[in-house]
Amino acid sequence: MRIPKVLVAAALIAAILPLNDAQARKKKKTFTHETVAVPEVQPQVIAVETQNTSLVLCVREDGELQQLYYGKKVDASEFEAVPRVHNRYGSGCSAFPSTGASFLGQPALHVRYADGTHNTEMRYFSHSSHPVSGSDAVETTIHLKDHVTGLELELSFLAHQAEDVIVACSEVINNTNAGVELLDIASSAMTLRAGSYLLTHANGSWAQEMQIENELLQHGVKLLETRRGTQTTQCGNPSFLLSLNTEQLNEDYGEVVAGALAWSGNYRISFEQGPEHFLSIVAGINPFASAYPLGKGQRFRTPEMVWTFSDEGAGGASRQLHRWARKYRVYNGGEVNPTLLNSWEGAYFTFTTETLIHMIDDAASMGLEMFVLDDGWFGNNYPRNNDRAGLGDWKVNVSKLPEGIDHIASYAHSKGLRFGIWIEPEMVNPESDLAHAHPEWVVQSPGRVIYQERSQWVLDLSNPAVQDFVYGVFDSVMQLSPSIDYIKWDCNRPVFSFGSPYLDSQDRFYVDYVQGLYNVMRRIREKYPDVLVQCCSSGGARVDYGSLRYFNEIWTSDDTDGLERVFMQYGTSLIYPACVMAAHVSEVPNHQSRNITPLKFRFDVACQGRLGLELQPRYLSADDMALVNRCVESYKNYRDLVFTGDLYRLGSPYGNDIYGCMYVSEDKSRAVVYVYSIGFDARGTDGQRFRLKGLDPSRRYKVTEQNVDSSCWWGDGGVYSGAFLGSGAFNPVLPNLYSSAIFLLEAE
Ligand code: GLA
C-alpha cells in the first residue's frame, strides 16, 4: 500500500513538534532560585596585620567585603570612616570580586550554576581570627555567602608577624542544591592604589630560566600565565614584584609589593588597571580548560598566594619572603645541605661501576660531601643508554652496573660521602616495559597523536593508580640501598594534547594532576622525612612555593655557565632564598653556552648557592684541582650564611658591568660578600666601589678575601666599621671581564 505524501508529512511534523515544544519550553525557562533577603550586617573593618604591614578589609552596609588598603602598618580603625567606593566603571574594590552585579573586571570567582546562570554576589557572613600554634602567625578566616544560590566562600589569611608575609587562599563550598562548575577560582585578589606600578617578573626558557623583565603597567590587563601543565616555570615564574610610584626597580628604597603563587600547575596572575587607576591583581590556578565541576556539598580549596610588602625596596621584599620561606615553607629550609659531585655532565649516559667509583674517590679527595648518580642507571629490556628509552623501568641496568646500586652507595658512605640518585617518575619512554604494560596511564586524548618530547610521554597523575606507581618508584628506588640519602626528582617535558583516560571530566585534568603530584609527595614525606629531595625539571621548570613544601632544593638551571648564572641566580633571588638554589661548577667550554670563564669565576658564582660540581674530575689539571680544594674548603667556612643569612643585592647585573651580593647573619656578626665583573669596564682598574649593606654600622669587621694569595682589595685583612664598609670605600679591583672575589666579614 502506498502512503499518501501528505500523511507522511503530517507524521513527520507530529514527530518534530514535541521536540520544538520542549525547546520552546527550555527557552522560556524561569529560574528556580528565590531571591533571598540579605540579612542586615554591621559595617566593620577587618584588619589582617603583621608587625609592619596592614591589609585592611571592610564589610559594607550591604554585606559586600571590600579591600581598602595593603601596605605599611596603619591604624585600621580609621578606615571605618572611608566612604564606600562608587563603582562606576565596574571595577570596584571587592576583596574577592565575583562575576555578577556591577562587577565587570577580571573575576576571582566565576561560577556556572546548574541552571546555567553565572552571577554570584558574595556577602559577609562571619569572621574569626586565632593565633596559629607553633608559629607567630595569626589566621583570619572570613566566611561569605551568596544568598540567592547558597554558594559559600571562605577567605583565609595567614599573617606571619615577624616576616611581614600574608599567605592567602580561598575555599568554595557548594551548598547550592546541585552541582556547579568553577570557571574561575582564584587564590587571592588584591587591590593597590598608587600613581604608577612597575611590574618586575621572570620569563625564560630551558637553560635561561628566571630572566628578569621590568614593565610599567598601563591601563588594561597584563597576564602572567602558563598552560604547560608540567614544567610550569620554565618560561615564566608565578611570582612578581610591584614597585609603587616609581618607574625603576629600586633595590633599597621605595614601596614594593611582592607575590608568589604556591602552585606547580597552570597559573594565571592578572593585573588590571581600570579608569580609576586602581590596580586589581587576581592570582590563582589558570582557568584554561579547567571548568572544574564541584558536586553538591563538595568543597574546593585553592593553592596559596604569598604576599609581602616592604618600604625598603626590592631587597626588603625579597628578604621578607626568604625569611618566611626558610622558616615555614621550604622543606627543612635553612638547614645546610651537602656539597656534591653530580655525574651528569662528567659522564652523561656512559659509565660503568668503575667510572662511578673513581668519581666518588675524586669527590672525597676534593672535600665534597655527596656523590649523585644522575640519569642512565636503569632499564634492561630498554636500557637507558640515551634519552630515547627506559623511562618507567626503574630497575638497575645489570650490564652497566652488575654489582648494583648498593655497592656504589655503600662505597660512597665508606669514603665519608653521602649518596644520591636520579629519577624521573612522572614520565615514560614509549620504548619501555611500562609503556607496553600500561598504555592507559599515558596522558592522551582519544584518536589524537600522543606527541613525544625528549622521546617521552607524561604519565597521568590524575589517576590514583599512577600516583601509587609514582610513589612506588621513589619507594622502590630507596630500597636499592640503605645508603641512599638524596633523590634528584626530574620532570623533563610539558603536557601536550592533554587528556586523561581515567577522568570522567577532562576539565579536572590540569588541577588533578598537580593534586596527584602533591599526594605522592605527601606520602613520600611521611615515609622519608629525612631524605634530601631536589626538585629538577630540565633545570628550573618547577620552581614555586607549592613544590618547595616537599623539596629541599631546586636545580636552578641546566645552564651552569658562570656568566649566565649571575643573571639567573639574581632572578631567582628576587623571590626564592639561596638555601634552595643548587649551583654547580662545570667544565669549559660550557656544555650549554660554549662560553669559557675562569674556574675561579665559576666557583665564586656557584658559592652563592648550594655548591656542587658537575664535571669529570679526571680532566682537571693539578692547578685546577688545588683551586677546587681551596674553594670547597673555604665555602664550608661561610656557607651557613648562604643557607640562613639575609640577602643584600649590591645593584643588579642588568645593564651593569659589575654586580655583587652578600649574605649577612641575623645577628649581623658575620657576612660574606661576592663581587663580579660581568662586562669590561676600563675605568674599573682603580677599583669598583660597592656600598656594603646590612652590616651594623658601629661594629668592626675583619675582612678576608677567600681563595687567593694576593687580594684584589687594598684593605684585605684589615678591620673596619660597618659604616666605613657601607660608605663606598670598599673598592676591590676587578679589572677584567670575569674578575671576581669573595670576602668573609667577621665582627670583632
Ligand atoms: C635534565 C636535568 C639534568 C639531567 C638530565 C638527565 O635535563 O635538568 O640535570 O639530570 O635531565 O637526563
Side-chain angles (χ1 to χ4, degrees):
M1 190 184 72
R2 294 185 60 171
I3 302 167
K5 275 187 186 158
V6 63
L7 283 183
V8 175
L12 274 174
I13 289 165
I16 289 165
L17 258 181
L19 242 185
N20 285 344
D21 274 346
Q23 282 169 345
R25 270 202 305 277
K26 204 171 174 190
K27 271 189 188 150
K28 282 187 201 153
K29 175 175 72 173
T30 51
F31 300 122
T32 51
H33 303 310
E34 297 292 319
T35 303
V36 183
V38 179
E40 280 204 358
V41 294
Q42 202 50 40
Q44 58 181 307
V45 161
I46 303 173
V48 175
E49 294 177 327
T50 67
Q51 215 165 297
N52 302 299
T53 68
S54 300
L55 170 66
V56 181
L57 305 159
C58 178
V59 180
R60 296 311 192 160
E61 313 71 48
D62 63 354
E64 191 190 10
L65 184 72
Q66 294 195 331
Q67 187 222 313
L68 301 185
Y69 174 77
Y70 180 49
K72 198 179 169 82
K73 196 155 190 176
V74 290
D75 175 358
S77 68
E78 288 190 75
F79 280 81
E80 268 166 23
V82 174
R84 193 194 174 88
V85 175
H86 179 56
N87 185 13
R88 181 167 177 191
Y89 297 107
S91 42
C93 295
S94 169
F96 204 81
S98 59
T99 299
S102 59
F103 178 72
L104 306 172
Q106 292 278 322
L109 179 66
H110 181 184
V111 178
R112 179 159 43 212
Y113 295 97
D115 62 6
T117 59
H118 285 250
N119 292 301
T120 302
E121 291 177 53
M122 283 294 167
R123 292 292 178 259
Y124 173 84
F125 194 73
S126 65
H127 81 280
S128 62
S129 286
H130 65 272
V132 178
S133 66
S135 77
D136 69 350
V138 176
E139 181 166 27
T140 302
T141 307
I142 306 173
H143 195 150
L144 304 149
K145 198 169 177 173
D146 178 68
H147 290 283
V148 172
T149 62
L151 194 80
E152 292 177 36
L153 178 68
E154 268 176 25
L155 303 180
S156 142
F157 303 89
L158 197 59
H160 291 276
Q161 301 302 300
E163 295 76 19
D164 290 320
V165 163
I166 296 174
V167 178
C169 77
S170 62
E171 184 163 352
V172 178
I173 304 132
N174 182 7
N175 279 343
T176 73
N177 51 20
V180 301
E181 283 173 285
L182 303 177
L183 304 182
D184 268 303
I185 172 65
S187 298
S188 180
M190 179 71 80
T191 304
L192 301 175
R193 297 159 177 82
S196 63
Y197 310 92
L198 180 78
L199 176 67
T200 301
H201 61 98
N203 71 85
S205 64
W206 171 74
Q208 287 227 293
E209 296 89 341
M210 290 287 190
Q211 306 292 307
I212 296 305
E213 286 183 350
N214 296 302
E215 62 189 286
L216 204 55
L217 293 177
Q218 305 295 330
H219 290 92
V221 181
K222 163 81 187 174
L223 292 180
L224 302 180
E225 66 170 342
T226 189
R227 300 169 181 213
R228 295 170 64 80
T230 52
Q231 295 208 307
T232 49
T233 69
Q234 190 164 69
C235 307
N237 199 268
S239 63
F240 59 87
L241 302 180
L242 267 175
S243 305
L244 309 182
N245 303 313
T246 174
E247 301 196 353
Q248 195 177 312
L249 183 67
N250 295 311
E251 194 51 42
D252 304 312
Y253 57 89
E255 295 190 324
V256 173
V257 171
L261 185 73
W263 182 241
S264 309
N266 289 345
Y267 61 81
R268 191 182 70 180
I269 305 177
S270 65
F271 303 84
E272 182 170 27
Q273 202 181 162
E276 302 100 331
H277 312 300
F278 301 158
L279 184 70
S280 161
I281 309 166
V282 177
I285 293 173
N286 195 330
F288 167 68
S290 301
Y292 203 83
L294 195 65
K296 188 171 174 239
Q298 290 182 336
R299 308 166 80 98
F300 183 87
R301 194 172 175 85
T302 67
E304 295 163 332
M305 179 69 187
V306 185
W307 295 100
T308 198
F309 167 88
S310 170
D311 60 359
E312 290 177 15
S318 299
R319 278 187 293 283
Q320 286 165 201
L321 285 178
H322 296 173
R323 284 186 204 130
W324 166 82
R326 283 195 300 265
K327 198 160 171 195
Y328 297 110
R329 180 46 50 101
V330 175
Y331 194 83
N332 284 344
E335 279 188 13
V336 169
N337 292 330
T339 55
L340 60 87
L341 174 67
N342 176 296
S343 68
W344 181 239
E345 289 202 4
Y348 288 111
F349 292 104
T350 312
F351 52 80
T352 60
T353 302
E354 209 190 355
T355 323
L356 304 179
I357 294 290
H358 281 150
M359 287 179 114
I360 290 169
D361 287 339
D362 289 336
S365 73
M366 291 188 290
L368 297 171
E369 297 154 314
M370 182 155 69
F371 175 72
V372 178
L373 170 55
D374 210 283
D375 198 352
W377 59 267
F378 52 91
N380 287 295
N381 291 336
Y382 300 92
R384 183 74 172 167
N385 293 328
N386 51 50
D387 62 13
R388 295 190 296 280
L391 279 183
D393 301 349
W394 300 100
K395 296 270 167 23
V396 184
N397 179 310
V398 289
S399 55
K400 254 189 211 177
L401 304 175
E403 298 87 353
I405 294 298
D406 184 49
H407 175 76
I408 302 158
S410 52
Y411 182 74
H413 274 215
S414 75
K415 301 288 287 186
L417 298 183
R418 295 200 238 174
F419 181 81
I421 193 163
W422 180 95
I423 55 174
E424 193 183 357
E426 296 160 76
M427 300 286 162
V428 59
N429 285 120
E431 288 193 31
S432 66
D433 290 334
L434 180 69
H436 293 112
H438 285 291
E440 79 286 7
W441 282 1
V442 174
V443 171
Q444 58 195 283
S445 185
R448 306 276 170 199
V449 172
I450 312 179
Y451 291 98
Q452 294 181 28
E453 170 73 27
R454 208 192 189 212
S455 307
Q456 65 197 54
W457 290 331
V458 184
L459 291 175
D460 173 16
L461 262 181
S462 71
N463 180 345
V466 176
Q467 292 170 29
D468 286 345
F469 170 79
V470 171
Y471 169 80
V473 171
F474 192 105
D475 197 29
S476 61
V477 167
M478 287 302 298
Q479 309 312 317
L480 292 174
S481 166
S483 303
I484 295 179
D485 306 293
Y486 174 102
I487 297 278
K488 174 174 174 178
W489 179 300
D490 214 336
C491 169
N492 278 317
R493 63 157 288 182
V495 171
F496 298 150
S497 290
F498 79 95
S500 161
Y502 168 78
L503 291 174
D504 288 336
S505 162
Q506 298 300 302
D507 282 288
R508 296 178 66 126
F509 173 77
Y510 284 120
V511 172
D512 286 11
Y513 185 100
V514 183
Q515 288 179 342
L517 174 69
Y518 291 165
N519 285 342
V520 171
M521 293 312 299
R522 217 171 287 129
R523 286 169 69 187
I524 287 172
R525 281 315 189 182
E526 271 164 27
K527 184 157 180 193
Y528 299 104
D530 300 326
V531 176
L532 295 164
V533 191
Q534 182 186 70
C535 184
C536 174
S537 182
S538 304
R542 192 180 260 164
V543 179
D544 61 76
Y545 278 130
S547 61
L548 283 169
R549 193 190 279 277
Y550 307 103
F551 292 91
N552 301 73
E553 62 172 31
I554 56 160
W555 180 222
T556 315
S557 176
D558 274 353
D559 185 352
T560 44
D561 172 348
L563 179 62
E564 299 274 324
R565 273 295 183 118
V566 167
F567 289 84
M568 287 187 276
Q569 294 179 185
Y570 165 84
T572 304
S573 83
L574 291 181
I575 303 291
Y576 302 98
C579 66
V580 303
M581 203 167 67
H584 295 180
V585 172
S586 59
E587 67 174 42
V588 287
N590 181 272
H591 291 196
Q592 279 70 43
S593 68
R594 311 307 299 166
N595 192 22
I596 297 177
T597 55
L599 184 61
K600 172 142 191 324
F601 181 80
R602 278 173 273 153
F603 261 103
D604 287 353
V605 174
C607 285
Q608 265 183 45
R610 194 275 291 138
L611 175 66
L613 267 71
E614 188 159 334
L615 43 68
Q616 174 49 273
R618 246 180 312 163
Y619 300 149
L620 290 173
S621 68
D623 282 354
D624 282 352
M625 200 49 121
L627 182 63
V628 170
N629 285 325
R630 193 170 187 171
C631 293
V632 171
E633 198 187 321
S634 76
Y635 173 76
K636 290 179 190 162
N637 292 332
Y638 60 78
R639 67 170 157 186
D640 59 303
L641 298 167
V642 177
F643 284 87
T644 62
D646 278 327
L647 168 71
Y648 290 83
R649 288 177 292 258
L650 306 175
S652 159
Y654 286 92
N656 293 308
D657 295 324
I658 53 166
Y659 174 63
C661 64
M662 54 194 288
Y663 302 111
V664 183
S665 66
E666 207 182 330
D667 65 1
K668 297 188 182 295
S669 66
R670 289 165 71 244
V672 56
V673 180
Y674 306 80
V675 290
Y676 310 102
S677 165
I678 51 173
F680 176 63
D681 178 3
R683 290 164 297 178
T685 46
D686 291 335
Q688 299 285 5
R689 291 185 188 279
F690 293 90
R691 300 182 70 153
L692 302 190
K693 305 176 195 170
L695 302 172
D696 182 338
S698 60
R699 282 173 93 170
R700 292 172 62 75
Y701 297 86
K702 181 167 183 2
V703 180
T704 324
E705 187 173 350
Q706 306 291 293
N707 310 331
V708 287
D709 294 322
S710 73
S711 175
C712 66
W713 187 45
W714 57 264
D716 186 57
V719 178
Y720 308 94
S721 69
F724 176 79
L725 293 166
S727 71
F730 178 72
N731 60 335
V733 179
L734 304 171
N736 306 316
L737 176 62
Y738 306 137
S739 297
S740 63
I742 298 178
F743 294 87
L744 182 59
L745 274 52
E746 292 163 300
E748 283 194 316

